[in-house]
Amino acid sequence: MAETKLSERVMNRTWRKRLMTTVRRLPPLSPGWKGAAIALSGTAGILFLVQSYLLIGSRGPGDYVIGTAVFLLAIALISGGIAGLLHVAKRIPSRYIGPAIASFILLFISFIGPMTVMVIVTLSILAGCSLSGALVCRWMRGAYREAKTLKKTAAGIAAAVTAVMTIGIGTWLVDDGRAKLAKPYRLSVTKPAERYPAVLDNPAEPGPYPVRTLTYGSKDSYRAVFNAEDSLITEPVDGSAFVANWSSLRTKTFGFGPEAMPLNGLVWYPDGDGPFPLVMIVHGNHLATDYSDPGYAYLGELLASRGYIVVSIDENFLNTSPFDDLFMLNVLENENPARGWLMLEHLKVWEEWNGTEDNPFHRKADMSRIALIGHSRGGEAVTVAAAYNRLPASPENGGIAFDYGFGIRSVISLAGTDGQYEPAGRPTELTDLNYLTLQGAHDMDVSSFAGAAQYSRIGFTPGSDYFKASVYIYGANHGQFNTVWGRSDAPGLGNLLYNRAQLIPQEEQLQAAKVLISSFLEATLYGKTEYRAIFQDLGHAREWLPDTMYIQDYSDSRTTLVSTFDEDIDLTTTTLPGGQLIGEQLAEWKEEKVEMKFAPGPYSAVRLGWDRDRARGTPSYTIVLPDTGLAVPPDGSIVFSVADRSEAREEMTDLTVQVEDMHGNTASMPLSAAGGLLPMLEGGIVKWPLTSLMPTREPVFQTFAFRLSDFSRVNPAFQPERLSRIRLVFDKTAAGSIYLRDVGIRDDVAVSHADE
């Protein structure tokens, strides 16, 4: 024992002696640098002592001394570490530093993706390649032939570690990732067949019409397909007011400037008399010279066979072009409004053709039944087009008059962006049209559900007949809605960072898009309102949709919203004047902007948390309806949207939905009677072990509807038309946290009459 202590003292003295020797070897500071160091350190130290006293001096002298000393020690360690690294860096030859910096930049821009992941991967490749190259070169030069055994052993260990590191990095990059095979809440499990009798035809099946195709384009288009022998000719339009920074290189590539944007389109149409609803599709941002518009042929062929004229328009000249943008140093700016405006210019052409006798589309297009479909930035462009369609002039330039007013009834966003363009600095708000947004849980581009924000800004006027819906699809990504884009959501090698093994096959994602889009258009353009049922409950499409997990939200103009939680900061009042909100024994109760993956969304909800083990009674949340101003149809439904926000929960949340009439009669049903609340679906899009460097979950709202007549069956004394209170009782799942919004009463009687 004594020998061990003696050995430790000798070792400590040896290390101290080496440290002092190293310090003595450091070159002394010149008088100028020495004075600079003393003045800077003295001034900073005095100011820090004063600031420290102002911040923690009131705690007493003991805490002041301890707190100040600890912080100074931390600063000394950090600054010493940085100084040490800089000292080591000075010993690295500049002929290595130059290639290393250049390689870092080249690697960094090659792996475009999440910033932290890009840095880690780039530094790992840099370190692995540098070490392996150094060892190989030294070995080839014979540096280890006469070396001592210890040096050879160290070099061998370093070589082995470097080889493992290099092989590991390479394998990690080329591997597709890890698939999470378990889908416990897939459609076939949560929506049993016996609850959904088959009463609808499969909307993804081809219809009765033979399909014909045609193209149209501006003369001498940069793409020959739009100037085929039978192509229709269009005139270019001046879009210079809607874009900025259009480079001369871009003009050279495409053959025109922003003042002469072409109107090019691929058309699929039914061989029939018509008139047929018109569906216009616009792509999003992609490489400008890897054309995106053909990627929606699967929709064009299906919908045309079912009696729609479908056109996929060309806006590729507005997309990213690294060459024309000087490798992203001089990018095209503010092009988002142009994407929407161009759609309306295309519709002007269709209106003209519809009234021209010798045109093949004479009286073929029903201009009162129009739908716009957009993907990615196109998903935002369709809302811009719908907004511009109702304006007399451009929001940014009153000198640009608008005179559109087309019959745009429906808008569909596929993995759409939101907020990249705000007309006159305001979010795009739309009223009285039908809206559908689809989003993949594994979207590696628009990786947070941006379409939910636009969904929250779709409004309806009383007496109208519109609805909005959102569907969140587990295993779907950004690109597979377009057959050109496919499984690659990032540019180039950046795709190697992502966990693509979790994606559903592209044919399944296309099938989901076909089922949902076709159903939506059947309901909104052809008036087959029975297809609304699919968006109220996806169980009605369980036989046609891929068997993965889905979260859906729905609202319509026949719903009287009692509380949206967007109106004020009073926790106790409803949106509809005269109502009251009451929370009892809750661990959390507050209204806030909904926390999405990267930032709060632009819409609010009430956040409710409970823990029955710590509560003195059963936690509950009650919505007291106003005494006047709310007509409750006896055959209507209570509706509300809920999102789970419990990070660690993997199972469904259940609770009791209780109603009470004005006479105190109550009736209750479990939330699970309407399907149960799904947990936040985990979409770890970056490969392990870097998955946690990006958020993997976010709350997605799920609609629940309970018919008031069902409560009457539970308790015949309950009078639906005298409904007074709706109460959520947290008596089933022991603890949890949810968001609640859009509580209302839906008039299902009117809907059923329309179906008849």
Side-chain angles (χ1 to χ4, degrees), residues 96 124-141 143-144 158-159 161-163 165-166:
Y96 168 79
S124 298
I125 295 175
L126 196 67
C129 291
S130 295
L131 289 172
S132 59
L135 289 168
V136 169
C137 190
R138 286 175 62 83
W139 175 76
M140 292 178 66
R141 297 262 181 129
Y144 302 109
V161 171
T162 303
M165 179 180 176
T166 304

Side-chain angles (χ1 to χ4, degrees), residues 209 273-280 306-310 347 354 363-372 405-411 434 521-528:
Y209 292 98
D273 294 334
F276 301 107
L278 178 61
V279 179
M280 185 168 290
R306 297 181 67 87
Y308 302 88
I309 297 175
V310 184
L347 289 178
N354 207 46
R363 294 184 178 176
K364 293 284 189 181
D366 186 345
M367 300 302 291
S368 68
R369 292 184 292 165
I370 297 172
L372 306 180
F406 299 115
I408 299 173
R409 293 190 185 183
S410 304
V411 170
N434 302 291
L521 296 178
E522 290 289 306
T524 61
L525 295 190
Y526 269 116
K528 297 180 180 180

